[in-house]
Amino acid sequence: MTEKSGKTFELTDKDAGRSAQLPLRKGTLGSAALDIAGLNKDLGVFTYDPGFGATAATESRITYIDGDAGVLLYRGYPIEQLAEKSSFMEVAYLLLIGELPTAKQLEEFTGNIRYHTMINESLLRFFNYFHHNAHPMAMVSGVVASMAAFYHDTMDIHNPRHREIFAHRIIAKIPTIAAAAHKHSLGQPFVYPRNDLDYAANVLSMLFAVPCEAYKVDPIAARALDLLFVLHADHEQNASTSTVRLAGSTGANPYAAISAGVSALWGPAHGGANEAVLSMLEQIGTVDNIPKYLAMAKDKSSHFRLMGFGHRVYKNFDPRAKIIREMCHKVLAQLGRSDNPLLELAQRLEEVALKDPYFVERKLYPNVDFYSGVIYSAIGIPRSMFTVMFAIARTVGWVAHWQEMIADPSMRIGRPRQLYTGPVQREYVDIKKRG
Ligand code: SDX
């Protein structure tokens, strides 16, 4: 392959006497991308990249990750600055609109979210018919998809105002749906959202309040949850965001696309890892057992993985993991739980793993899920709800990517090709003549 004029690569098949011109598309940051759209037509071949490790599926202006440097930018703003200075509602506005809001814009946006938090009473009754021990992610994905049965009036995906109303509705209602799933699991009455509380405080109130006594939101827990929402809000073309884009590319209604994203996030290799980390830490139990479990993590036949470790893109520290680790100390100290055994075990596990050649050679570092469960636990959120918390935050990123895609006039249905390795054509054999 030779590079021509700095802008186009030429790929030549000398035997076939064919060549393809591959224009080089450059972004504002990160790797440029070879445009291979004409490759199959010009050269009769596909590219092969299972897992999409080296494939840019789209162009996007929302989030940028430098995996080697451990950098994460939301619309160009470093996650460390947003974590320290911003709020989830402000970050939601930034991801959706592309700029930080003025005070007036933020107040209006926050108001739009605040006054859409209730869900239709018929939708609330759906929860009565789930099995009592249904996993909350199963309930959330089902009820989110069912929102399409309630909002026919604003589902014209080519109408910008409908897209804006959808964004406000789903961001406002996903916490109410999440909390209702939790209350159903407990057999407790649903708690309605309160307009006097901010977003994260409302989540805590709907999760933990009960009708028989006044509930006071712990400001430390609310701030910690708001910060976790900021850190989980978006992350480029991760599996669940790519799922939302692919589902949305068919023209399916946005609630169906978001529900598909919830389902994809549930997997333990993705957002389900935060729940799996806590189970793993409990399985390890004590610091003395760390060597045994590290050995299992390195033994492929064990099928045991160090949950919360490793990342497709980060080959350095996940900046979110660093922020959450610091947060653990602060929040646990503020809550008077500094001697949290889970945190001590997690830190020791990190120390030992980061000195082990297996993890060092493979550049396996703690990711966003490694410490988040320690904080969720400390503020009283049950393990089964950890991934639901992730889904609440990532709904903002899913909506931002869905809107970016639908608003793009060049959008086409996503339809990957394959390398076929099955049987060549053969004739049908009557069952009487089969062996
Ligand atoms: C999230 O994409 C995103 O941005 C996701 C996310 C987001 O915000 O949306 O950041 C959120 O999903 C974080 C990741 C949460 N998942 C986990 O913590 C589960 C544990 N981690 C792994 O399963 C794994 O690291 C992945 C899924 C995160 C990444 O998988 P890759 O990129 O496909 O890497 P791989 O499986 O090819 O692993 C490369 C090597 C392999 O060994 P070799 O074949 O080279 O000998 O590293 C090994 C793997 O066996 N490896 C691990 C490991 N992770 C990778 N070995 C032990 N423990 C691990 N956790």
Side-chain angles (χ1 to χ4, degrees):
M1 180 193 289
T2 55
E3 177 178 338
K4 287 170 58 180
S5 69
K7 289 268 187 301
T8 300
F9 285 79
E10 182 173 73
L11 193 57
T12 302
D13 179 346
K14 287 203 179 73
D15 301 342
R18 293 172 74 174
S19 69
Q21 305 301 315
L22 307 177
L24 189 67
R25 298 183 64 159
K26 290 191 171 163
T28 44
L29 287 171
S31 303
L34 271 183
D35 185 336
I36 58 165
L39 185 64
N40 187 247
K41 178 173 64 61
D42 297 344
L43 216 53
V45 296
F46 295 137
T47 56
Y48 184 68
D49 183 19
F52 311 116
T55 294
T58 185
E59 178 181 321
S60 180
R61 297 171 301 285
I62 300 172
T63 292
Y64 173 70
I65 301 170
D66 178 335
D68 293 327
V71 168
L72 170 58
L73 309 176
Y74 286 170
R75 300 285 189 178
Y77 294 96
I79 193 68
E80 294 81 2
Q81 294 179 27
L82 294 170
E84 186 191 338
K85 300 171 181 166
S86 189
S87 68
F88 182 58
M89 281 293 98
E90 184 175 75
V91 161
Y93 183 99
L94 171 66
L95 288 169
L96 291 171
I97 309 298
E99 297 297 334
L100 287 170
T102 61
K104 186 172 179 310
Q105 287 167 332
L106 181 59
E107 187 190 346
E108 188 184 338
F109 177 76
T110 306
N112 280 327
I113 300 300
R114 174 174 289 126
Y115 295 109
H116 278 87
T117 50
M118 287 177 70
I119 60 176
N120 186 300
E121 287 293 303
S122 304
L123 205 53
L124 209 50
R125 278 194 285 276
F126 276 43
F127 290 92
N128 297 336
Y129 304 101
F130 284 112
H131 198 269
H132 68 90
N133 63 1
H135 193 287
M137 284 294 276
M139 293 190 258
V140 170
S141 63
V143 173
V144 165
S146 303
M147 288 174 79
F150 291 78
Y151 299 118
H152 309 95
D153 61 325
T154 52
M155 276 198 314
D156 171 2
I157 62 174
H158 300 295
N159 179 330
R161 178 63 185 135
H162 285 195
R163 296 201 295 265
E164 184 185 36
I165 293 170
F166 153 70
H168 294 161
R169 271 192 174 131
I170 190 68
I171 292 169
K173 297 178 194 304
I174 192 93
T176 312
I177 292 167
H182 177 54
K183 286 299 193 188
H184 173 70
S185 306
L186 299 176
Q188 285 185 1
F190 302 125
V191 173
Y192 286 91
R194 285 173 41 186
N195 291 344
D196 63 321
L197 296 176
D198 71 22
Y199 196 86
N202 229 337
V203 172
L204 295 173
S205 166
M206 291 189 285
L207 284 174
F208 301 127
V210 287
C212 31
E213 59 188 37
Y215 176 75
K216 192 171 172 345
V217 176
D218 178 335
I220 295 164
R223 173 61 193 139
L225 189 57
D226 191 86
L227 178 45
L228 285 169
F229 285 157
V230 166
L231 296 173
H232 286 79
D234 192 49
H235 215 237
E236 281 193 6
Q237 306 305 321
N238 59 84
S240 53
T241 299
S242 299
T243 300
V244 170
R245 280 180 173 260
L246 193 56
S249 75
T250 70
N253 74 77
Y255 300 102
I258 298 299
S259 172
V262 173
S263 300
L265 185 75
W266 193 0
H270 190 16
N274 53 18
E275 185 179 339
V277 167
L278 256 288
S279 306
M280 174 189 74
L281 291 174
E282 282 189 359
Q283 188 185 355
I284 295 173
T286 64
V287 170
D288 302 347
N289 288 335
I290 288 177
K292 177 181 132 194
Y293 283 91
L294 273 197
M296 282 165 62
K298 298 187 282 189
D299 169 10
K300 299 283 189 282
S301 63
S302 76
H303 302 297
F304 175 85
R305 282 208 162 178
L306 216 48
M307 302 313 280
F309 254 77
H311 199 277
R312 173 59 57 77
V313 177
Y314 289 122
K315 300 307 170 190
N316 195 325
F317 251 93
D318 180 334
R320 303 167 298 175
K322 272 189 196 170
I323 295 166
I324 296 174
R325 185 178 55 191
E326 261 94 77
M327 248 176 94
C328 280
H329 294 290
K330 225 184 315 178
V331 170
L332 292 174
Q334 288 167 337
L335 293 172
R337 299 189 193 147
S338 300
D339 60 342
N340 184 304
L342 281 179
L343 177 58
E344 282 161 33
L345 181 58
Q347 282 181 286
R348 191 80 192 96
L349 182 57
E350 176 193 336
E351 274 166 37
V352 177
L354 293 185
K355 290 191 190 108
D356 186 298
Y358 174 94
F359 292 86
V360 173
E361 284 154 19
R362 292 167 178 80
K363 299 184 178 179
L364 302 176
Y365 290 86
N367 59 50
V368 68
D369 294 306
F370 189 63
Y371 285 106
S372 55
V374 174
I375 297 185
Y376 286 136
S377 294
I379 60 180
I381 292 172
R383 191 179 317 167
S384 62
M385 288 292 288
F386 289 1
T387 309
V388 176
M389 293 297 111
F390 196 149
I392 290 174
R394 190 52 58 87
T395 293
V396 166
W398 291 333
V399 171
H401 282 271
W402 178 82
Q403 286 186 329
E404 181 179 68
M405 174 185 70
I406 298 292
D408 179 351
S410 67
M411 182 199 91
R412 300 169 69 211
I413 186 170
R415 204 282 187 207
R417 301 306 301 270
Q418 64 175 17
L419 175 67
Y420 178 70
T421 54
V424 295
Q425 184 166 325
R426 50 185 172 166
E427 299 309 308
Y428 181 83
V429 176
D430 188 285
I431 193 162
K432 297 190 197 68
K433 295 183 182 147
R434 290 174 214 160

